[in-house]
Amino acid sequence: MNGQKAISVLDSMRLPNGAYTASVSDDYSYVWIRDVVYTVLPFLHTPCERYEQAYHSMFDLFRNYEWKIDIHTKKRPQYLFEFIHSRYSTDLTELHVEWGHAQNDAIGAFLWGVGEGVRHGKKVIRDAKDLQILQKLVHYLECLQYWQTKDNGMWEENMEVHASSVGACVAGLHSVKMLVHVKEDLIHKGEETLRFMLPRESETKETDLALLSLVYPYRIVDRNMALKIVTNVASKLERKNGVIRYENDQYYNEGSEAEWCFGLPWLGLCYRELGKMDMVHEYRLKTKRIVPDNWEVPELYIGGKNTPNKNTPLAWAVALSYLFLEEREQDEIRHEA
């Protein structure tokens, strides 16, 4: 498949400030922190500056709202608008509409991406001010007591303690502990919560597509737990055109749950982490089936229909599909060996 087309599609959602809109659709012409983290993963191993520029734009965003971060490193947010917002307008300013902004996983994802960028030689950190922002975000998670606090989670829905959010924060704190001061106890508390919760996602959800993040890209669970998570998602949530987020999901549900396209390459990427190359091959075929020639991978197929929704292409879906399909030669060499 022509991977250059995928990069062109991602570039169509790239803003002059270096961030990305989630999609070109009217509904998604906003910047989500988490979506940007996933969207720029293909550029982590390339010499271009898209990875750095995306993170610089988010550091600028946090600098703009540093006054807010300062408040909530000492006083826990009580209302959703007090949390660091999860989505912004294309000029990276807050939107004054009600939203499920309590998304601790987005902050964890950002921290993880910064540390990962530094480890790959990316000039993600520009100056002492960026490091100061990073330190304040660590204090923000501590003030929130992320390891036991209900949040809206990856899917921006009901407030409960989500293992995927706690895991993202654990991964993020691990990732930046060489860059700023992170109390070991702050990580241990999150790890203890995960030991108690996993392989469940939350009190109401036995399994959830969001849990795959703990296997890829975060790699914070051991092999046995990773296998449990991946097996649960594949056996209970996988469908023909993608993976449902969780059982009885009502978003774009017209008789059954919506099938999220990025679920198939995401499962493939997890099987690659586990070294299960036979499954990688199987998911490559499944992923190729849902990636169109123009690489405009949809967000999802409407539940009960064989029709994609209007959030097409979804930047995050294009990025995960590209990451999975474009490294096939390396996988095939490994498989033959």
Side-chain angles (χ1 to χ4, degrees):
M1 300 183 81
N2 186 351
Q4 195 50 49
K5 281 187 185 174
I7 302 303
S8 298
V9 172
L10 290 178
D11 281 348
S12 73
M13 291 172 275
R14 188 167 184 259
L15 298 166
N17 57 28
Y20 290 76
T21 58
S23 181
V24 293
S25 75
D26 294 339
D27 285 359
Y28 277 16
S29 58
Y30 304 108
V31 174
W32 272 267
I33 293 171
R34 173 184 44 255
D35 288 52
V36 172
V37 170
Y38 279 83
T39 297
V40 297
L41 283 175
F43 306 115
L44 186 57
H45 304 281
T46 64
C48 75
E49 295 182 350
R50 288 180 182 88
Y51 193 93
E52 291 99 324
Q53 288 167 356
Y55 279 89
H56 295 164
S57 74
M58 288 193 284
F59 267 119
D60 289 343
L61 183 163
F62 290 130
R63 288 186 187 206
N64 194 29
Y65 291 101
E66 186 177 7
W67 59 271
K68 183 177 191 172
I69 301 170
D70 284 340
I71 292 170
H72 297 297
T73 56
K74 300 177 181 67
K75 178 176 176 283
R76 288 176 69 183
Q78 301 298 310
Y79 303 99
L80 287 173
F81 70 85
E82 293 180 317
F83 284 82
I84 296 175
H85 281 204
S86 53
R87 77 168 188 168
Y88 298 81
S89 65
T90 53
D91 64 357
L92 305 182
T93 55
E94 290 184 350
L95 298 152
H96 299 292
V97 294
E98 284 190 33
W99 198 259
H101 285 302
Q103 294 175 39
N104 300 344
D105 78 287
I107 304 305
F110 174 77
L111 296 179
W112 176 84
V114 170
E116 197 70 2
V118 170
R119 269 187 294 284
H120 282 81
K122 300 289 187 184
K123 294 176 182 173
V124 178
I125 303 288
R126 296 167 295 186
D127 53 28
K129 186 66 186 176
D130 282 349
L131 283 174
Q132 191 180 17
I133 292 290
L134 213 56
Q135 185 70 70
K136 289 182 178 185
L137 290 174
V138 170
H139 292 325
Y140 172 80
L141 290 182
E142 183 176 16
C143 182
L144 281 180
Q145 298 184 341
Y146 79 90
W147 60 91
Q148 61 183 9
T149 297
K150 295 177 179 180
D151 79 337
N152 294 117
M154 187 177 281
W155 312 130
E156 311 184 318
E157 295 184 336
N158 56 313
M159 294 281 283
E160 55 183 341
V161 179
H162 294 91
S164 58
S165 290
V166 175
C169 294
V170 168
L173 292 167
H174 264 301
S175 191
V176 299
K177 67 183 182 183
M178 296 296 283
L179 297 169
V180 293
H181 177 62
V182 179
K183 297 174 188 168
E184 279 301 317
D185 192 46
L186 196 55
I187 295 173
H188 291 158
K189 285 173 177 173
E191 290 173 336
E192 193 60 35
T193 298
L194 292 178
R195 273 193 289 275
F196 174 73
M197 291 183 71
L198 291 174
R200 289 189 74 89
E201 162 68 344
S202 65
E203 191 177 335
T204 66
K205 296 185 182 74
E206 181 186 359
T207 191
D208 191 299
L209 177 57
L211 287 169
L212 294 185
S213 62
L214 308 188
V215 182
Y216 178 88
Y218 299 143
R219 306 179 179 100
I220 60 156
V221 289
D222 63 24
R223 179 175 177 80
N224 286 342
M225 184 55 70
L227 282 166
K228 280 182 191 171
I229 289 169
V230 174
T231 302
N232 284 347
V233 171
S235 63
K236 294 172 182 171
L237 306 181
E238 186 179 332
R239 301 292 186 268
K240 179 189 166 193
N241 292 313
V243 180
I244 66 172
R245 299 188 297 184
Y246 52 87
E247 290 174 340
N248 206 29
D249 183 4
Q250 294 304 300
Y251 183 67
Y252 279 99
N253 185 321
E254 296 191 16
S256 60
E257 302 96 337
E259 301 173 18
W260 287 64
C261 296
F262 63 44
L264 294 174
W266 205 350
L267 277 167
L269 287 161
C270 289
Y271 280 120
R272 180 188 288 158
E273 289 296 322
L274 291 160
K276 294 177 76 70
M277 304 316 294
D278 53 337
M279 298 303 289
V280 169
H281 178 68
E282 182 180 318
Y283 278 88
R284 180 166 291 122
L285 297 177
K286 290 178 178 180
T287 301
K288 281 181 175 177
R289 252 196 351 256
I290 55 100
V291 174
D293 288 341
N294 63 7
W295 270 94
E296 293 185 2
V297 185
E299 175 181 50
L300 57 82
Y301 277 77
I302 298 167
K305 296 186 174 183
N306 204 30
T307 313
N309 72 344
K310 66 178 181 177
N311 300 326
T312 302
L314 184 76
W316 185 1
V318 175
L320 286 185
S321 299
Y322 173 84
L323 278 164
F324 183 48
L325 293 179
E326 287 307 299
E327 291 182 15
R328 65 186 181 277
E329 288 176 14
Q330 187 182 341
D331 287 340
E332 281 161 7
I333 292 166
R334 237 181 290 168
H335 190 52
E336 286 164 10

